[in-house]
Amino acid sequence: MAVHLPVVVIVGRPNVGKSTLFNRLVGKRIAVVEDTPGITRDRLYAMVEWQGKRFHLVDTGGIVFQDEDPLAEQIRIQAGVALAEADVILFLADAKAGLSADDWELAQQFRGSKVPVLVVVNKADNADRDALANEFYALGIGDVYPVSGLQGRGVADLLDVVVEMLPEVKKDDIPEKEEIRVAIIGRPNVGKSSMVNAFTGEQRMIVSNIAGTTRDSIDTVIEHAGETFRLIDTAGIRRRGKIQGTVEYYMVNRAQKAIERADCAMIVVDGNEGLTDGDKRIMKIAHDAGKACVFAINKWDIKEPPDGMPRKMSILKKDMIKVIRDEIPELLYAKIAFTSAKESAGLEPVLDEVLRAQEAYSFRVSTGQLNRLIGEAVFARPYSSKGRVLKIYYATQVQTRPPTFVMFCNDVELFHFSYERYLLNKIREAFPLEGTPVRIWARASHKDKDKDKKQ
Ligand code: GDP
Ligand code: GDP
């Protein structure tokens, strides 16, 4: 998994010296400036190394605004980017100009934020100016650090403080060797316990062909392809429901419980019976949970001779895939594997798919790569409505598990569903995201206009 560096974001009204400080911080210590052909955002992201610690520096002054974008809007976008991305925020102000209304406006955005904010007062070219910097304590958001981006005064001290505050790793980074938690879900009798038994190669659980036989959910740990999988089995339906609704209730309830603990849902379907409404309800649960997802179309031996269950697509398989794609379009991202628990066939391929889906679920893209992609996508197909053009100033991945992207734009109303779909497709084309849901949030300056949509 790619190492995700901590992020330090510079914010501040125009002309306080963001670009100058950015260049100074990146300056000779620069390791890599991500190259962004076609888009003039060279000063937006860079990697900085100080005392052996590395971080990504983002200069919100490098976000390209148009002339007609109001300053208040720009300030809110900057703050939004900082709050979404930063591990440390450098709030840049100007000692020469003193405290301004725009500083207050920006400070307002950070009140109550959990991200540490350092008030960096630039243009402190001499000791007299250092004294002027004290005025900025009035903002009440953090300690004040006088620097001169132009001369380099105070910059080393600032960097000492910054690297001290950096987290070791991003909160959502996963150690490389963590077990993969897979919820085996599906209607009663589709073969969930048989699958688990086949995976383990031993009859650890009682398999019965009576739907709803009393069994408890058991975790089983197996190894495959050098990875550890924890199979969370939901076969156990506590009691046989006389009323259809009771069985349904336990089925749904247990599937939900298992999925909560899992990274990936393996949805087992009885391939001989075909897709039923119960299957669809289970699939909906998996989709709503926002976890990685793989289909195991089980009992395929009844449909076709197993002899190793080659991955080759027969007409029967193609038909089954078509039914699933047509009936459950929400889960287009989930791969479909064919299995026979009875014949122990197709089991390794389905685990391979789980592994891929799990990797996709934890996928992370760098801000530079993402902005390049989105910049190109918007350039290739601009969107406007009622004479207003959608502008996406900045894109960032705010989460993994599942990958979640925030697009900072001029107006969320312009971020039309069809355009979101277009960008999602671009993202899916560019990155290995098969098997996982992907989310996009559009965000403008006003919090209450936030949109949180799942795909
Ligand atoms: P930005 O709009 O916040 O990115 O600001 P710039 O980095 O473009 O700087 C705005 C102006 O302030 C430029 O003319 C810089 O030369 C000047 N400036 C930046 N840093 C300093 C500094 O430390 N001292 C002085 N005296 N001027 C500075
Ligand atoms: P669960 O309720 O989903 O855990 O399903 P079980 O594992 O208890 O299986 C239900 C019935 O289906 C049992 O009679 C199994 O022997 C049978 N079964 C399970 N997997 C397969 C398979 O791959 N092929 C065939 N032919 N039968 C299977």
Side-chain angles (χ1 to χ4, degrees), residues 184 190-200 202 205-208 215 233-236 341:
I184 315 281
V190 292
K192 296 181 295 298
S193 324
S194 307
M195 293 270 284
V196 174
N197 288 340
F199 285 133
T200 53
E202 56 181 31
M205 275 168 277
I206 310 141
V207 180
S208 143
R215 267 166 289 151
D233 178 28
T234 62

Side-chain angles (χ1 to χ4, degrees), residues 250-262:
Y250 281 110
M251 175 178 95
V252 167
N253 187 264
R254 291 194 77 93
Q256 259 158 351
K257 283 220 171 83
I259 286 179
E260 267 169 34
R261 290 203 286 137

